[in-house]
Amino acid sequence: MENNGKTHFGFEEVDVQSKQGRVADVFHSVAAKYDIMNDVMSFGIHRLWKRVTIEKSGVRRGQRVLDLAGGTGDLASKFASIVGPDGEVILADINASMLREGRDRLINDGHAGNTRYAQVNAECLPFPDNYFDCITIAFGLRNVTDKDAALRSMYRVLKPGGRLLILEFSKPVVPGLNQVYDVYSFKLLPMMGKLIANDPDSYRYLAESIRMHPDQDTLKGMMVEAGFERTEYHNLTGGIVALHKGYKI
Amino acid sequence: MDELLQAFCATLESAFNGLIAMDPEAKHRLADMQGKVIRIRLKEIDLSLTLIPTSDGVMVYPLYDAEPDTEIVGTPMGLINLGLGNKSALFTGEVEINGDVKLGQQVNRLLDQLHIDWEEQLSHLTGDAVAHHLGRAARGTLQWGTQALGGLATKLTEYLQHESRDLPLHDEVEPFLTQVDGLRDDLARLEARIKRIQHTLGNEE
Ligand SMILES: C[S@@+](CC[C@H](N)C(=O)[O-])C[C@H]1O[C@@H](n2cnc3c(N)ncnc32)[C@H](O)[C@@H]1O
């Protein structure tokens, strides 16, 4: 997919090395207002998408979960209250500001003892082989430069029987929705970004990165390529978002 | 739609947690069952729910993707009992427990004691189901897309008020909504234009 060391930063092509820096800038600049923006941007529906993700994760007491690109910890917080004292949740993100917001939030929610925090790059996870029962990455994969490397890395640290869940924007499958969605994401989203986070560029980047992200079947293929089995996906809200799931067997 | 079923479960979850918060005894007992997967299946109306007790209440999902620790199967008060004034019991008559029987009994007792207003809760589900079918019938048109966005937004406001602590203030949101309305009008015009163009093209061929 990538050639001459160029990669997509939204629609602009940028050097691979600089993408990580620019993604980091985007999330530094939105970290503090991130949760509010999420609610407004998606009319709150992201909460329901995340519920579906928890539901499909099947995480239970005593398990070890990695919430990768976990940001402000929406999923991590729920997992921490499920796995209990004999389980463990690791909130991991490449961005220190996001991770700090996430840690504050989890502590605020009353979680301590079964939570850890790690500043990591999804492409080369610093965890042992066969370590996690479940990995989730919600609205994170599209920001990762080398997605194939990231998928391989996630595969490596999953236990046999463990599963990966990818919640990500995808390609709308309901006729007509595409047009609505284009207007929404290219006009309305940056405008809301300006009003709430005072940062239209970051939200324009989000809209563009959504458009560049692989569609449902392409991502499924990439998971298979990385070694995942029993892969499947589930369209949500007409395919605006898809939840992919795969197992390491 | 998954989203509506999830919204229903979220509402139910809030109702549960509201009651649990007022009952320290229940909260304490739930903590013992933290992270266990409890499936509740209502015969006849073919409705399953999964409860997961947590450190501070309970989560409710339609069908949690894990082998349940215990499954409680019963005849729902649902359609039979509605209107008979017996709103607090989830089950009527015999209850069957599979898997971890002790856990199942604990849950059953807890459900009985919580006095959930099931009639009220089920009314949300029916409303959603209707919305779902209406949505389905009209699906495929741009018009549906825009209406569904609006409808969902209204429904979700209610849900978010339950769940959220940090929703933006009404004043912050109001200008957006006005702009969303504007956008919706623009879309309607756009749609009309697309139709006209399609029509013209159709005539030329
Ligand atoms: C849109 S946020 C999603 C946060 C959270 N998962 C949620 O759903 O609300 C994307 C997150 O991905 C992180 N991220 C971007 N590239 C990453 C990488 N290569 N490795 C790990 N995290 C990354 C960002 O710092 C940001 O916090």
Side-chain angles (χ1 to χ4, degrees):
Chain A
M1 294 244 300
E2 264 121 43
N3 41 34
N4 335 328
K6 297 273 188 185
T7 183
H8 297 295
F9 180 83
F11 286 153
E12 296 170 53
E13 296 224 322
V14 294
D15 290 337
V16 171
Q17 296 93 310
S18 77
K19 172 162 174 173
Q20 255 140 32
R22 295 185 64 178
V23 169
D25 286 347
V26 166
F27 287 105
H28 276 304
S29 61
V30 298
K33 296 252 186 167
Y34 180 79
D35 288 342
I36 296 179
M37 275 309 298
N38 264 352
D39 274 327
V40 175
M41 272 165 35
S42 71
F43 304 103
I45 301 177
H46 77 104
R47 287 164 189 271
L48 301 176
W49 296 333
K50 285 174 181 164
R51 287 183 69 90
V52 177
T53 309
I54 306 256
E55 176 174 38
K56 296 273 176 209
S57 79
V59 165
R60 64 203 306 153
R61 187 188 187 114
Q63 293 192 328
R64 181 182 285 131
V65 183
L66 173 65
D67 183 16
L68 187 55
T72 49
D74 280 359
L75 291 174
S77 181
K78 299 270 188 197
F79 285 135
S81 50
I82 295 174
V83 299
D86 34 353
E88 185 172 48
V89 177
I90 297 177
L91 176 64
D93 201 288
I94 200 169
N95 182 294
S97 313
M98 282 301 241
L99 204 54
R100 211 172 309 119
E101 292 279 334
R103 191 198 50 201
D104 291 352
R105 188 268 177 84
L106 260 66
I107 292 172
N108 250 330
D109 287 355
H111 299 302
N114 66 353
T115 45
R116 278 199 280 157
Y117 306 89
Q119 192 175 355
V120 307
N121 183 346
E123 293 167 16
C124 41
L125 295 170
F127 303 107
D129 293 358
N130 309 324
Y131 195 61
F132 294 100
D133 296 289
C134 179
I135 300 178
T136 53
I137 178 165
F139 304 113
L141 191 63
R142 74 170 184 284
N143 301 303
V144 174
T145 312
D146 188 343
K147 298 176 181 49
D148 295 309
L151 289 169
R152 283 195 300 272
S153 189
M154 293 181 231
Y155 185 84
R156 181 183 64 77
V157 301
L158 268 182
K159 289 180 192 170
R163 59 265 178 220
L164 166 67
L165 289 110
I166 305 173
L167 182 65
E168 191 52 89
F169 290 104
S170 207
K171 199 169 160 21
V173 291
V174 177
L177 197 55
N178 239 323
Q179 287 136 298
V180 181
Y181 187 51
D182 269 351
V183 178
Y184 167 76
S185 54
F186 287 106
K187 292 221 175 115
L188 205 65
L189 221 137
M191 190 173 80
M192 295 195 292
K194 182 163 158 48
L195 281 166
I196 292 189
N198 198 16
D199 189 2
D201 289 344
S202 290
Y203 284 92
R204 189 161 303 117
Y205 159 72
L206 292 188
E208 290 174 4
S209 70
I210 288 167
R211 216 34 56 84
M212 306 306 310
H213 191 72
D215 67 20
Q216 287 86 332
D217 288 315
T218 310
L219 181 55
K220 184 167 182 271
M222 288 163 70
M223 290 173 74
V224 172
E225 193 62 31
F228 287 94
E229 300 194 42
R230 287 167 59 197
T231 53
E232 58 177 27
Y233 66 80
H234 200 77
N235 285 322
L236 294 167
T237 315
I240 287 180
V241 159
L243 179 65
H244 283 70
K245 182 172 179 180
Y247 288 83
K248 175 170 175 176
I249 305 285
Chain B
M1 234 200 278
D2 288 317
E3 289 82 345
L4 292 175
L5 203 52
Q6 289 293 344
F8 165 68
C9 284
T11 316
L12 198 56
E13 193 174 292
S14 307
F16 263 125
N17 287 327
L19 291 169
I20 291 164
M22 294 184 303
D23 186 346
E25 170 67 24
K27 195 166 169 174
H28 184 71
R29 268 185 287 159
L30 271 170
D32 285 346
M33 312 179 217
Q34 180 174 6
K36 299 278 182 169
V37 180
I38 299 155
R39 172 114 352 119
I40 294 185
R41 194 147 58 80
L42 302 180
K43 275 195 261 188
E44 289 161 26
I45 61 169
D46 192 25
L47 178 73
S48 287
L49 287 176
T50 308
L51 303 188
I52 303 176
T54 65
S55 39
D56 46 17
V58 66
M59 291 181 183
V60 183
Y61 292 100
L63 197 74
Y64 202 70
D65 213 347
E67 189 63 26
D69 291 292
T70 190
E71 188 189 43
I72 308 175
V73 191
T75 309
M77 49 82 220
L79 310 171
I80 313 157
N81 236 9
L82 274 183
L84 293 184
N86 180 11
K87 293 178 189 167
S88 61
L90 174 57
F91 301 114
T92 52
E94 286 300 292
V95 166
E96 179 192 322
I97 296 176
N98 306 316
D100 184 341
V101 175
K102 197 164 147 263
L103 177 65
Q105 284 166 343
Q106 275 177 307
V107 177
N108 202 18
R109 225 171 301 131
L110 202 69
L111 284 175
D112 271 352
Q113 284 165 8
L114 276 179
H115 296 298
I116 285 251
D117 185 342
W118 290 103
E119 184 174 12
E120 157 78 15
Q121 292 305 324
L122 275 175
S123 70
H124 291 300
L125 181 62
T126 336
D128 287 346
V130 172
H132 172 45
H133 287 296
L134 287 180
R136 208 187 207 140
R139 186 169 298 168
T141 68
L142 184 62
Q143 201 190 3
W144 173 77
T146 43
Q147 279 173 358
L149 279 179
L152 268 179
T154 326
K155 266 226 144 32
L156 285 165
T157 314
E158 204 182 304
Y159 154 61
L160 289 170
Q161 280 161 356
H162 280 292
E163 223 189 55
S164 166
R165 292 140 305 187
D166 46 21
L167 267 186
L169 293 174
H170 186 256
D171 286 352
E172 284 183 72
V173 180
E174 196 54 43
F176 288 147
L177 295 185
T178 318
Q179 277 155 326
V180 172
D181 284 343
L183 183 72
R184 204 170 286 146
D185 294 345
D186 287 349
L187 278 169
R189 279 194 287 274
L190 182 68
E191 190 199 10
R193 243 172 90 187
I194 293 172
K195 279 217 186 92
R196 269 206 309 278
I197 294 168
Q198 276 171 340
H199 187 71
T200 321
L201 289 177
N203 285 348
E204 279 170 7
E205 267 166 28

